[in-house]
Amino acid sequence: MPFSEGTPRTGERRLSVNPFYGPANPLGDMAEAPPTHRLPEPPMAPATAHQLVRDELMLDGNARLNLATFVTTWMEPEAGILMAECRDKNMIDKDEYPRTAELERRCVAMLADLWNAPDPATAVGCSTTGSSEACMLAGMALKRRWAQRNADRYPGARPNLVMGVNVQVCWEKFCNFWEVEARLVPMEGERFHLDPQAAAELCDENTIGVVGILGSTFDGSYEPIADLCAALDALRERTGLDVPVHVDGASGAMVAPFLDEDLVWDFRLPRVASINTSGHKYGLVYPGVGWALWRDAEALPEELVFRVNYLGGDMPTFALNFSRPGAQVVAQYYTFLRLGRQGYRAVQQAARDVATELAGRVEALGDFRLLTRGDELPVFAFTTAPDVTAYDVFDVSRRLRESGWLVPAYTFPANREDLSVLRVVCRNGFSADLAELLAQDLERLLPDLRRQPRPLTEDRGAATSFHH
């Protein structure tokens, strides 16, 4: 979440209270207009507080038109009811809420089976607040296993983690927080993610693991996990180095099992030690819930699991936080139960169909070049064609926002910083009808954009809307 540095007190304003907001005494409520950055002195009627907050939230973007986020923006009313009924249950109180804890265990077992764990009954895992926490936990397990194998050299030796430069920022945070050197495989030419051989060449005796991404946030492409494991197998044959792989499947781990069943990326590969996913992305649950799973108990060092005597019960826990609501875990179990494999396959196929069709519409306009086509994650990225000089992707993003569409424009990382793109994330709820409206709005903007004398964005860093 963004770090707040506080708000200057000078010129502090007060909220304006409409007379109609005060249900009992309109004039009294108007006189007690609350400050914006200090706690008000007197209380106010719930209806008044509700309306003041709601008025401000009207200026937020429409979540259904937000094509920047991977996060689920629509669920069935029944799921919403269950979440409301469970929002007061503390997920950590497993002894107090044993059925909620049981639903969490069932979700872990279902994911272990979905991801082809050798023995789903012995796979270990937990729910988290999202993929970022899940990645931190997986990274901690990799580092601890490496430290155990290198007890004679650690803490003198500095551990490192190998990954593509396209990783989500949570991996950079992990390396920073846990004092691990980040070794990044750069992008090259039209390769926008990790190269298996280049990753293997960065490994040494201090490498705790290699991260492969099943669905890059930059362009929606899958990294070649099986090829990565093969390159590390060859490294072991040559050098004796045995480097595990963690698969960051924040999005793809809930897409590939249903749409790409022949793709080998999961626990079928012996080198894959752990996998994470976001239940609140293509797991189809409101934020925030994630999942972290390990191949077996050996892959998760026992000393990282805390056994807490809490509220009368012995409770094993592995998490960075403690208290959180059980609502999202319950919603995940509801969605697993509600859809099953066939339902998930239908939902994800519909999203992919929308993505590939819309990508084709964008390409047919002639002003754009596709980097990806939405045929892996239901996500595609595109940039302006080489002969387009009157406008850039930042102009397109800004103009689409005028119609309510939130389509991020951003620059790629090192080695391809010359490349700026737009990215469209097609989620459940972004229908073919909405995609048609987006295509029409984009086509309608082009004549104006083509008449510009030059791109109008002065500061690309400030203009970017890519933050995740």
Side-chain angles (χ1 to χ4, degrees), residues 19-97:
F20 285 104
Y21 291 177
N25 181 1
L27 295 179
D29 276 357
M30 286 183 70
E32 297 295 340
T36 54
H37 295 95
R38 286 180 294 112
L39 280 172
E41 290 297 332
M44 66 170 55
T48 308
H50 171 261
Q51 192 62 52
L52 287 173
V53 175
R54 191 173 188 182
D55 283 354
E56 293 216 32
L57 292 178
M58 287 192 302
L59 296 177
D60 274 347
N62 184 331
R64 292 284 298 280
L65 301 183
N66 182 1
L67 304 182
T69 183
F70 286 79
V71 171
T72 295
T73 56
W74 182 87
M75 289 189 76
E76 293 173 314
E78 291 82 357
I81 293 169
L82 280 173
M83 293 181 76
E85 292 171 347
C86 296
R87 62 191 171 196
D88 60 342
K89 294 184 180 180
N90 189 352
M91 189 67 221
I92 209 68
D93 299 349
K94 300 186 189 302
D95 189 60
E96 302 295 312
Y97 305 116

Side-chain angles (χ1 to χ4, degrees), residues 37-38 76 78 83 111 154 164 166 175 178-179 202 210 245 267 344 369 372 390 398 403 425 428 452 468:
H37 295 95
R38 286 180 294 112
E76 293 173 314
E78 291 82 357
M83 293 181 76
L111 289 170
Y154 183 73
N166 57 303
C175 290
W178 274 271
E179 298 181 325
L202 288 177
V210 179
V245 167
F267 289 125
Y344 264 95
R369 177 175 72 89
T372 47
R398 184 175 58 253
S403 300
V425 178
N428 179 42
Q452 289 184 180
H468 50 85

Side-chain angles (χ1 to χ4, degrees), residues 114 116 222 255-266 268 341-342 345 349 352:
L114 186 68
N116 296 293
Y222 292 161
V255 174
F258 307 109
L259 302 187
D260 308 296
E261 295 179 72
D262 295 333
L263 181 68
V264 179
W265 63 273
D266 52 19
R268 286 170 288 183
R341 285 181 181 254
Q342 292 180 7
R345 186 174 298 113
Q349 186 63 60
R352 182 178 282 181

Side-chain angles (χ1 to χ4, degrees), residues 160-169 171-173 175 180-188 191 193-195 198-199 202-203 210-211 213 413-415:
N160 65 73
L161 182 67
V162 175
M163 48 198 169
V165 71
N166 57 303
V167 290
Q168 213 266 1
V169 69
W171 287 107
E172 298 174 41
K173 290 181 180 179
C175 290
V180 173
E181 176 193 355
R183 293 190 174 176
L184 301 176
V185 178
M187 294 181 177
E188 294 289 350
R191 176 180 57 75
H193 56 225
L194 174 145
D195 173 72
L202 288 177
C203 295
V210 179
V211 176
I213 306 175
N415 279 26

Side-chain angles (χ1 to χ4, degrees), residues 301-345:
E302 173 62 26
E303 63 265 30
L304 290 178
V305 179
F306 284 80
R307 299 190 176 276
V308 183
N309 182 0
Y310 188 66
L311 297 179
D314 178 65
M315 179 193 65
T317 176
F318 183 38
L320 297 181
N321 64 344
F322 206 61
S323 296
R324 59 188 171 92
Q328 284 79 7
V329 168
V330 170
Q332 184 74 84
Y333 182 69
Y334 164 84
T335 307
F336 283 168
L337 206 63
R338 166 80 171 91
L339 292 178
R341 285 181 181 254
Q342 292 180 7
Y344 264 95
R345 186 174 298 113

Side-chain angles (χ1 to χ4, degrees), residues 117-159:
D119 180 4
T122 62
V124 292
C126 60
S127 66
T128 63
T129 52
S131 267
S132 292
E133 184 187 1
C135 291
M136 299 284 175
L137 299 179
M140 288 166 58
L142 289 174
K143 183 180 178 182
R144 185 59 59 91
R145 288 180 66 199
W146 171 85
Q148 289 172 345
R149 295 193 304 269
N150 295 273
D152 57 330
R153 299 188 308 111
Y154 183 73
R158 187 185 182 195

